[in-house]
Amino acid sequence: VQLVESGGDLVQPGGSLNLSCLTSGSTFSSYAIYWFRQRPGKGREWVSGIKFDGAEADYADSVKGRFTISRDNDKNTAYLQMNSLKTEDSAVYFCATWGDNCSGLKCKGYDYWGRGTQVSISS
């Protein structure tokens, strides 16, 4: 299974970005997709998750109301629409799949990860 993130960029506070996660090598529509981020000097933080059919999504409190996760199973791609961006949203963003030992859309482990895309928020 391969995941490739794209869409990261440098934007001003208050701006928007739409990240993509293109997957291959598995039946994309059978698995939940998750977004994480890692800020400089910090651990990897769960940001959002979406069920295999897109029927349910969940968000970290820090992004709720500003970020929207979605997926297009015909394109094997998941998205993270990020609005009202803040400087503290600056991080490398990763997508992951095949979660293990999950409670809702949060899991103890994730089998497959992308390499990440850099999001920088600065004026």
Side-chain angles (χ1 to χ4, degrees):
V1 180
Q2 295 179 329
L3 299 93
V4 179
E5 304 92 340
S6 61
D9 205 345
L10 170 63
V11 299
Q12 293 186 342
S16 297
L17 283 173
N18 190 25
L19 305 184
S20 299
C21 172
L22 175 64
T23 71
S24 61
S26 74
T27 307
F28 176 78
S29 59
S30 297
Y31 300 97
I33 295 290
Y34 312 89
W35 283 98
F36 289 78
R37 66 186 180 188
Q38 187 163 17
R39 290 178 270 197
K42 304 285 187 180
R44 200 166 288 190
E45 172 191 12
W46 181 91
V47 173
S48 182
I50 187 167
K51 280 200 167 181
F52 70 97
D53 58 358
E56 183 179 340
D58 196 11
Y59 301 91
D61 287 343
S62 58
V63 306
K64 203 170 288 184
R66 299 188 298 121
F67 290 12
T68 302
I69 191 171
S70 62
R71 64 190 296 158
D72 185 336
N73 286 348
D74 290 335
K75 296 182 178 180
N76 289 351
T77 303
Y79 305 94
L80 187 67
Q81 175 66 44
M82 307 188 297
N83 298 328
S84 303
L85 284 162
K86 305 176 182 180
T87 55
E88 54 263 41
D89 294 319
S90 295
V92 178
Y93 283 73
F94 302 86
C95 58
T97 192
W98 287 39
D100 303 315
N101 193 8
C102 301
S103 175
L105 285 163
K106 295 179 183 177
C107 308
K108 295 288 178 68
Y110 303 83
D111 290 349
Y112 297 100
W113 294 83
R115 293 188 174 186
T117 185
Q118 177 70 51
V119 170
S120 299
I121 314 301
S122 176
S123 55

